[in-house]
Amino acid sequence: MKLQHYLGGLEGLGRINFEKRVFVQPWEKRIFGIHVAMMALSQHLEAAKVTPTQFKSIWTWANLRKLAEGMNPFDYFKYRYYEKWLGGISSFFIESGYISTAELETKTEVFLEKSDTPLPHNTEPAIDNQVIEYLRVGDSPKCKVEDLKPKFSVGDAVTIKNPLPTEHCKLPGYLRNKQGVIETVYEGAYNYPLQTGDGVGDPMPIYSIKFDSHEIWGNLTEPKTWIYADIYEAYIEDPS
Amino acid sequence: MSDSSREAYNAARVKALESLLIEKGIITSETVDKVIDFFEKDMGPFNGAKIVAKAWVDPEFKQRLLEDTPAAIAQMNLPRGMAGAEGEHMKAVENTPDVHNLIVCTLCSCYPWPVLGLPPYWFKDPTFRARAIREPRKVLQEFGLDIPESTEVRVWDTSAQIRWFVIPERPAGTEGWTEEQLAAIVTPEAMQGAAKVQISQSS
């Protein structure tokens, strides 16, 4: 297991930092922009395949999450949100052979010494157009699967499975082995860009499931509290 | 490493990365600026605020928004991209005196970009993600929001493919306000269920 998958319900964490800003450091905007560009240029998108970029990889949320969840948990909680992105994305470019560690370190030194060193000039409107087009159109995971029928219906009492979690997982740990009731059967089926190793990947239905908070936390929760979670069908016990 | 040298190092490293990606022909000198610009002008909480304001003045629209969120949003004259990245499948829930909704993503940071923009820090804070799902009332109290015992609390853990947002309660004293005036007081926090809409914010 990874602590990252079992975060829900963890005790003893103290007060929450109610920081309302999206970026607290100017550099965080830059790594966010780089990530969006990678998502938009990911080679599973038809439009990206014909975009004149040297990016020849697939990069989706699943790739970023897998990197973050694959981290040593003690590191995961040591770094801030966008620091994890920066670390994960840099290692991805190095491991995929786009840049070398030496190149990145040398350049980092340049910007450390003189932070206003200008960026290189490279214009290619087709790349920028694709990035904006991706933001406008998105990349829907919804699939049309003709013969796929949801196994469960609204009102069914169901139990959540307890599959062995791998480095990446879409089932919150606190819901394992818990009982809930199907609230909504979302129309259609949903893909996931990676096989997570615990059942998610191929197109499948998703459900909103209603849980009594007391069923999950006993007396450690609060009165009149309900949890609704979106759960992939692979994580629900087969009806018997 | 001190905090300031840690940030200076991060800033230099991300510039180095951007610089190398431009050199290698992966992105252009303008790509990152264009992304940031898009989030300042096209995708952001200003869209969500307009949607909420319309729902407050038009009960039929609110009903449609709750039943088929994308179809209702598509009716509005918002910039292109309301079904774009992270907005492909959105769903709205409504706060009332009887029900308070709070959105959390305990696994990552799922968020409806087209209507709310990018998630604020508190939403991504591991402490928020850990606590909101077990003791939402206490968390909301720390945020300055007292939920009466008679009100049911619904916490939505959104870590699959649907992106959620809240239609907050319309504050008393806004009778006769225009949609524009109403939109001006709706905050991203209110549209995640972490705050109430306050009149004082606009006046």
Side-chain angles (χ1 to χ4, degrees), chain A:
Chain A
M1 69 175 263
K2 282 275 183 185
L3 183 54
Q4 289 89 314
H5 303 138
Y6 288 77
L7 199 50
L10 207 62
E11 291 160 55
L13 294 178
R15 288 176 77 87
I16 297 158
N17 174 10
F18 199 34
E19 168 61 64
K20 294 180 188 175
R21 284 176 296 173
V22 172
F23 302 110
V24 295
Q25 295 287 334
W27 66 262
E28 296 173 334
K29 276 188 182 181
R30 311 308 292 181
I31 193 63
F32 172 75
I34 290 171
H35 164 73
V36 166
M38 293 163 75
M39 295 272 284
L41 300 171
S42 175
Q43 295 295 297
H44 76 286
L45 300 170
E46 290 305 318
K49 286 181 190 162
V50 294
T51 302
T53 172
Q54 293 306 309
F55 192 61
K56 299 298 174 204
S57 305
I58 288 177
W59 183 261
T60 65
W61 281 118
N63 300 84
L64 183 69
R65 290 175 191 145
K66 189 176 167 178
L67 271 172
E69 292 172 30
M71 284 173 83
N72 176 322
F74 298 139
D75 290 336
Y76 180 90
F77 293 101
K78 201 161 61 188
Y79 295 115
R80 284 208 323 270
Y81 186 78
Y82 285 114
E83 284 182 308
K84 291 192 274 270
W85 284 37
L86 176 56
I89 290 170
S90 304
S91 7
F92 169 81
F93 278 115
I94 292 167
E95 278 157 28
S96 310
Y98 291 102
I99 61 173
S100 71
T101 307
E103 271 179 317
L104 185 59
E105 279 170 6
T106 310
K107 275 263 193 254
T108 303
E109 285 304 318
V110 169
F111 287 107
L112 263 178
E113 272 168 37
K114 198 167 176 298
S115 63
D116 60 351
T117 306
L119 293 172
H121 189 71
N122 172 14
T123 312
E124 179 46 84
I127 293 181
D128 297 335
N129 291 344
Q130 166 55 20
V131 172
I132 296 304
E133 197 54 17
Y134 161 76
L135 283 171
R136 287 183 170 144
V137 175
D139 179 19
S140 172
K142 198 166 178 177
C143 312
K144 282 205 175 85
V145 185
E146 298 296 339
D147 55 352
L148 193 145
K149 291 237 165 29
K151 285 184 189 165
F152 305 96
S153 314
V154 171
D156 285 356
V158 293
T159 303
I160 305 303
K161 287 186 192 172
N162 185 20
L164 286 175
T166 50
E167 60 193 341
H168 180 35
C169 173
K170 297 301 292 170
L171 174 62
Y174 69 89
L175 291 175
R176 290 165 177 271
N177 293 320
K178 301 298 180 190
Q179 292 191 330
V181 174
I182 304 278
E183 174 83 6
T184 308
V185 182
Y186 296 116
E187 187 212 325
Y190 291 80
N191 210 342
Y192 196 69
L194 287 178
Q195 298 284 337
T196 55
D198 62 1
V200 169
D202 298 332
M204 67 181 72
I206 296 177
Y207 305 86
S208 170
I209 304 185
K210 180 181 182 179
F211 299 88
D212 181 340
S213 193
H214 293 82
E215 158 80 14
I216 298 171
W217 315 112
N219 290 334
L220 292 177
T221 188
E222 298 165 340
K224 291 186 86 168
T225 301
W226 299 88
I227 294 170
Y228 294 77
D230 290 339
I231 303 286
Y232 289 86
E233 188 169 88
Y235 293 140
I236 310 173
E237 292 282 7
D238 287 327
S240 53

Side-chain angles (χ1 to χ4, degrees), chain A residues 32 35 39 61 65 134-141, chain B residues 39 43 81-91 108-119 158 160-164:
Chain A
F32 172 75
H35 164 73
M39 295 272 284
W61 281 118
R65 290 175 191 145
Y134 161 76
L135 283 171
R136 287 183 170 144
V137 175
D139 179 19
S140 172
Chain B
F39 278 90
M43 270 187 177
M82 288 305 106
E86 291 300 284
E88 296 95 342
H89 306 286
M90 290 191 284
K91 194 125 176 56
C108 39
S109 55
C110 296
Y111 206 74
W113 287 3
V115 298
L116 291 191
L118 297 171
T158 74
Q161 298 289 9
I162 317 296
R163 303 290 172 259
W164 296 79

